[in-house]
Amino acid sequence: MNFLVLLLVALILKFTPWRKGFPLDLLGNWARRVAAAPNRPKWQALGMLALPLLLVGLLLWLVEGIGYGVLTLLVHTFVLLLCVGRNDPLQAMTAQFEQAWERGDREAASLVAERDMSIRAENSVELLVSVRKRVVWEVCEGYLVPAFWYLLLGPLGAMAYRMLQQLKTPAEHPLRALAVSVVHALEWLPARLMVLSMALVGHFERTLAALGQVLRSWEVSAEEVTGQGAEAALDAPDTEVEHRSVMPPLRRLLQRCLFVWAVAIAFLSVLA
């Protein structure tokens, strides 16, 4: 059933207005509410964070076996829609940046990147690399990491990642240190698997070399790993700065990467 749920979520994200997941960010709002009280005891904050997990677990137990599993399928699909990223990295996230870049207006592109993605750069090369890294990371943390933990731990695993990821805020709160450590651990393996999949559909030797440098490193962030992998997988990325269309090659790379994940998940589902 897991593959069917992922397929349904992918179709909803692709062909419906819900390209950014469920319109209401219920899990993100709940996590921000937990983080809003910095003086709350840690045990109380953990209890509040676990409450949605308990409720969804109870709901799954109640609907199990009802309607030949259709209700369970719908609950899984709804929960996963709550867990995906909210930025639509393959389309809307970079639309205005692309428009400014294609006009040749580097200053406007820089302002858009700063406004929409909090990216500041000293020159065009640095700007383009930073935007590409951000897009790659949004695909990883918004799609692949939730899918990975959904496959391993079910909807509760994807929910836990989504809420903990939202707790990595600059503001201090009782669970911030715990959230940073746990999220880093949850992202460690999916990020490297993403780079490996990019090697299969991009520049193989260069990407494997980049992966080999960080494969066993615990300290390097998952965002840095995926960014380095994408730059290595792209063909001649440093020569694209003056080109009008700079994002389509990255978009095609990420789409092929997602296709590799879909094929691998389908194959594992058949074996299971």
Side-chain angles (χ1 to χ4, degrees), residues 163-204:
M163 289 190 292
L164 287 170
Q165 191 237 2
Q166 293 300 302
L167 288 176
K168 290 175 53 181
T169 59
E172 290 296 330
H173 57 83
L175 298 181
R176 186 177 185 278
L178 175 65
V180 170
S181 299
V182 174
V183 168
H184 177 73
L186 293 175
E187 293 170 345
W188 191 91
L189 182 56
R192 284 152 180 80
L193 290 176
M194 181 184 185
V195 175
L196 181 60
S197 64
M198 287 192 288
L200 296 176
V201 297
H203 196 292
F204 185 76

Side-chain angles (χ1 to χ4, degrees), residues 89-160:
L90 295 179
Q91 188 170 333
M93 179 178 171
T94 59
Q96 294 187 23
F97 173 82
E98 284 186 83
Q99 292 172 4
W101 192 279
E102 290 173 0
R103 294 195 307 266
D105 192 343
R106 300 294 185 264
E107 183 176 355
S110 178
L111 291 174
V112 170
E114 182 176 355
R115 182 196 66 194
D116 295 345
M117 295 172 268
S118 302
I119 291 176
R120 296 183 179 181
E122 298 295 331
N123 52 62
S124 296
V125 174
E126 183 181 341
L127 175 64
L128 181 58
V129 170
S130 298
V131 169
R132 284 195 299 226
K133 285 184 175 181
R134 176 61 59 82
V135 172
V136 172
W137 177 240
E138 289 290 342
V139 170
C140 182
E141 74 164 356
Y143 299 151
L144 298 184
V145 180
F148 180 85
W149 289 109
Y150 170 75
L151 289 171
L152 288 186
L153 302 177
L156 300 186
M159 284 180 63

Side-chain angles (χ1 to χ4, degrees), residues 124-137 194-195 198-199 202-211 223-241 246-247 249-251 253-254:
S124 296
V125 174
E126 183 181 341
L127 175 64
L128 181 58
V129 170
S130 298
V131 169
R132 284 195 299 226
K133 285 184 175 181
R134 176 61 59 82
V135 172
V136 172
W137 177 240
M194 181 184 185
V195 175
M198 287 192 288
H203 196 292
F204 185 76
E205 294 183 358
R206 194 164 56 203
T207 309
L208 279 188
L211 178 60
E223 183 174 3
E224 186 64 25
V225 169
T226 55
Q228 291 179 8
E231 290 300 305
L234 289 169
D235 291 327
D238 294 335
T239 65
E240 294 181 353
V241 176
V246 292
M247 299 306 294
L250 176 64
R251 191 174 291 114
L253 173 71
L254 293 174

